[in-house]
Amino acid sequence: MAEIPDDKQRGAAFDALAEESTAMGATGVISNPNRPPPDFSTRPDGGLTAWLQVLSCWCVVFCTFGLVNCFGVYQTYYEQVLLPSSTSSAISWIGSIQGCMLLAGGLFSGPLFDMGYFRHLVCSGLFFIVLGQFMTSLCTEFWQVFLAQGVCIGVGCALVFLPSTAVLSQYFSKRVALATGIGSSGSPIAGTVLPIVFNQLVDEIGFGWATRVIAFILLALAIVPLLFFKTRLPPSKHRRSLIDTSALTDVDFMTFVAGGFFCFMGLYIPFFYIELFTVKHGLSSASFAPYMLTIMNASSVLGRVIPGLLCDLTGTPCFVMAACAGVSCILGFGWLGIRDFAGIVVFAVLYGAFSGGVVVCQPTGIFSLTSDHSRVGTRLGMSCFVAGIAVLIGTPIGGAILGGGESEDRWNGLIGFGAVSLLIGACLTFTTGMVVLLRLRRKMRPDTV
């Protein structure tokens, strides 16, 4: 595989190409026919460098979405031990701020990625994540936890998450959904490993050192993207605004984004509250209850990879996302009737698998709906911003519905809120897929007559 040029080489090559294009515009002939212009348009779809980007993305997702996915174990610990005077809704704001900034921060990091600040975003983002995790280990009050775990880690996630996903579209074409799925599998693996680490260590060495051990794990993983992460295409010479105004008139894009909003508003309610549900209903021993989140995240590994394969095979990420959201909705309504240990375990396995498909299909859907690849970062940032707002308000609304968590009606209200949100999201993403499919058939019809 040919060596990918560095930033200076790319810049020099494109300056030369610009000069030659100018000459050709005047004379109709390229000034130096013996030197072909550089071609960055053909994505390699594989090779060592491309797969190192997937590995780097995996590490970043482990350190970002993985932390959000394992907040449920902190939710229970804070309610029962560290912050017993704080309400369930107030504590859930910490995880919601994390998730919101992770996604909504793409509104800023997306255009910065398009402008060529990829390495700056990666380095600063990973620094804030590790710093925030270490600072969390020193916290004893709600406002301290909110600033360290919610805001500081959230800022780091906002800077690094979207660029690490968007860069894969520069290396993969036919297998971009598979690459995205493999990269995003770092999230459920983190959600599997980190709660086990925390639960095994918190009673032996205390909250502070258990949290620091996780911080050291994140620090070690951060080395990989710092060494190997790099963009393949030169930055856009056109200054990008935070919002691509052309997307606002793109019906397909806007419908898909609306569907993502409702999906993400209800998606994380089981991740935040399944452990507390298990404890309150006495469905397992107190020592096993924390592993419900682990089971849910472990099953989500296949839920990240298989939907990615289906997206590549079918070329319809909107339909795959709608199907995963629809099944997650059905499982959510099924959660209303679960009152035994076997039922909650089966729910955790299945929900983890299908909810993972919703997450991985969201960026893949944006890739498929964006024909101009120079706008991928900006459009992905817009969609992630909307999804981040959904994550921000979703679990606190659920926490407010739940209240003290003693009434069965309140638990039913929490679960029903999440399931209905997923139902609306599934309908909107399915509608997007149908509109795109019908338009494609309409375009192909004259050729077949």
Side-chain angles (χ1 to χ4, degrees):
M1 177 179 174
E3 182 180 356
I4 295 175
D6 58 25
D7 292 340
K8 291 183 178 179
Q9 292 171 328
R10 287 198 297 262
F14 268 78
D15 288 340
L17 178 59
E19 293 174 3
E20 291 176 346
S21 299
T22 303
M24 184 176 69
T27 65
V29 180
I30 295 179
S31 60
N32 186 355
N34 296 323
R35 184 177 63 188
D39 181 15
F40 295 120
S41 61
T42 304
R43 288 165 284 180
D45 233 8
L48 177 61
T49 303
W51 288 111
L52 282 175
Q53 309 313 303
V54 177
L55 175 62
S56 300
C57 178
W58 186 94
C59 293
V60 169
V61 174
F62 186 103
C63 298
T64 54
F65 242 123
L67 281 180
V68 175
N69 274 4
C70 72
F71 183 77
V73 72
Y74 282 99
Q75 173 91 21
T76 303
Y77 183 83
Y78 290 157
E79 287 195 36
Q80 296 181 344
V81 182
L82 189 66
L83 305 171
S85 60
S86 300
T87 65
S88 176
S89 180
I91 291 172
S92 69
W93 274 102
I94 300 170
S96 293
I97 285 290
Q98 261 188 358
C100 173
M101 296 184 73
L102 182 151
L103 293 169
L107 187 67
F108 304 94
S109 61
L112 289 172
F113 168 79
D114 288 339
M115 293 165 60
Y117 293 101
F118 177 70
R119 291 291 300 177
H120 304 77
L121 293 167
V122 170
C123 295
S124 56
L126 291 172
F127 170 78
F128 279 113
I129 290 170
V130 175
L131 175 66
Q133 189 67 18
F134 275 116
M135 291 299 101
T136 302
S137 69
L138 304 176
C139 297
T140 57
E141 298 183 25
F142 176 83
W143 68 269
Q144 296 171 340
V145 178
F146 183 86
L147 291 177
Q149 192 172 20
V151 177
C152 187
I153 293 178
V155 168
C157 293
L159 293 172
V160 72
F161 173 71
L162 184 142
S164 69
T165 304
V167 76
L168 298 182
S169 68
Q170 296 187 1
Y171 289 87
F172 293 90
S173 175
K174 295 180 180 178
R175 294 192 284 183
V176 65
L178 174 62
T180 304
I182 294 174
S184 68
S185 68
S187 171
I189 291 177
T192 303
V193 173
L194 298 185
I196 293 177
V197 171
F198 183 84
N199 285 315
Q200 291 293 321
L201 296 180
V202 69
D203 292 332
E204 296 183 11
I205 60 178
F207 169 78
W209 272 107
T211 304
R212 287 183 204 113
V213 169
I214 294 176
F216 280 116
I217 294 173
L218 303 179
L219 179 62
L221 287 173
I223 296 173
V224 176
L226 292 177
L227 288 176
F228 299 114
F229 238 163
K230 58 182 177 181
T231 56
R232 179 176 164 270
L233 301 179
S236 173
K237 292 186 177 181
H238 301 287
R239 182 175 294 276
R240 296 293 184 197
S241 61
L242 296 180
I243 298 177
D244 177 13
T245 54
S246 65
L248 301 178
T249 58
D250 187 337
V251 177
D252 301 339
F253 176 82
M254 294 303 293
T255 308
F256 184 79
V257 169
F261 173 84
F262 285 101
C263 284
F264 279 92
M265 188 162 64
L267 191 71
Y268 285 97
I269 284 178
F271 285 91
F272 277 43
Y273 291 103
I274 189 171
E275 181 179 336
L276 191 63
F277 178 88
T278 304
V279 171
K280 293 290 185 179
H281 289 78
L283 303 184
S284 73
S285 63
S287 60
F288 187 83
Y291 294 99
M292 297 307 303
L293 183 61
T294 300
I295 293 171
M296 186 175 287
N297 280 299
S299 63
S300 186
V301 175
L302 290 178
R304 303 299 177 101
V305 178
I306 294 178
L309 281 171
L310 291 175
C311 289
D312 287 333
L313 291 173
T314 63
T316 56
C318 294
F319 286 132
V320 177
M321 180 174 174
C324 291
V327 176
S328 299
C329 164
I330 295 171
L331 291 169
F333 283 117
W335 188 13
L336 292 170
I338 295 175
R339 293 298 180 269
D340 56 43
F341 175 74
I344 198 65
V345 170
V346 171
F347 168 78
V349 171
L350 294 178
Y351 188 86
F354 285 98
S355 64
V358 176
V359 176
V360 75
C361 289
Q362 197 256 357
T364 306
I366 298 299
F367 295 155
S368 68
L369 295 172
T370 306
S371 57
D372 183 358
H373 286 280
S374 67
R375 299 177 184 269
V376 163
T378 303
R379 286 203 172 193
L380 191 57
M382 292 170 63
S383 66
C384 285
F385 177 81
V386 174
I389 298 300
V391 173
L392 175 66
I393 65 175
T395 49
I397 289 175
I401 294 173
L402 180 62
E406 301 296 334
S407 169
E408 199 63 35
D409 290 338
R410 288 185 172 272
W411 275 107
N412 291 340
L414 166 70
I415 296 169
F417 168 73
V420 171
S421 297
L422 284 165
L423 176 61
I424 298 172
C427 292
L428 287 171
T429 51
F430 180 80
T431 300
T432 305
M434 286 299 300
V435 170
V436 172
L437 182 61
L438 292 174
R439 185 181 296 113
L440 180 62
R441 288 183 175 180
R442 212 176 292 124
K443 287 182 179 180
M444 294 175 62
R445 193 174 300 158
D447 298 332
T448 60
V449 176

